[in-house]
Amino acid sequence: VQLQASGGGLVKAGGSLRLSCAASRSLFSSDITGWYRQSPGKQRELVASLSSSLGTNYADSVKGRFAISRNKAKTTVYLQMNSLQPEDTGIYYCNARGPGWPVTSARYPWGQGTQVTVSS
């Protein structure tokens, strides 16, 4: 499976962006699909995840501002980002992991990601 993230860009603080992640085929229903962020000088972190059994989960830093969703075919995952702040700047990636896998693990190769830059 190849994952292609898109929708990033340059936005002012307080603005919004909607990221999309297109998969080359339907993702496993049991998998936990997630959006990850790698900010300059920091390790990649999970910011939002979604699974059929566990629902949605968000990092504390984005709770109430970001929303993850996917289409019924499980071929596209979205990340609606509102009230963006400069600290949200980074490259955003999507991936998935199996049930019970460590949060740092990934089922698929990491794609190019999409750059989000928030200016103050």
Side-chain angles (χ1 to χ4, degrees):
V1 172
Q2 292 184 335
L3 301 170
Q4 181 67 50
S6 62
L10 174 63
V11 64
K12 291 184 178 180
S16 299
L17 284 172
R18 190 189 195 206
L19 307 184
S20 297
C21 174
S24 55
R25 66 155 176 77
S26 180
L27 302 178
F28 294 127
S29 298
S30 58
D31 272 3
I32 302 167
T33 305
W35 280 97
Y36 302 74
R37 173 174 71 200
Q38 186 159 23
S39 301
K42 295 184 179 180
Q43 289 188 336
R44 185 155 43 205
E45 60 173 337
L46 178 66
V47 296
S49 62
L50 168 67
S51 76
S52 298
S53 58
L54 301 176
T56 57
N57 194 41
Y58 300 93
D60 287 343
S61 60
V62 307
K63 275 182 183 175
R65 301 188 297 120
F66 289 13
I68 186 172
S69 62
R70 67 185 174 196
N71 65 350
K72 286 187 177 180
K74 298 184 180 61
T75 55
T76 307
V77 183
Y78 305 98
L79 186 67
Q80 178 67 43
M81 306 188 296
N82 299 324
S83 302
L84 282 161
Q85 302 166 6
E87 49 266 39
D88 295 318
T89 293
I91 302 174
Y92 284 71
Y93 304 85
C94 61
N95 215 306
R97 67 186 194 271
W101 291 17
V103 172
T104 53
S105 60
R107 186 183 288 279
Y108 306 112
W110 294 100
Q112 297 284 339
T114 186
Q115 175 72 47
V116 172
T117 303
V118 185
S119 63
S120 56

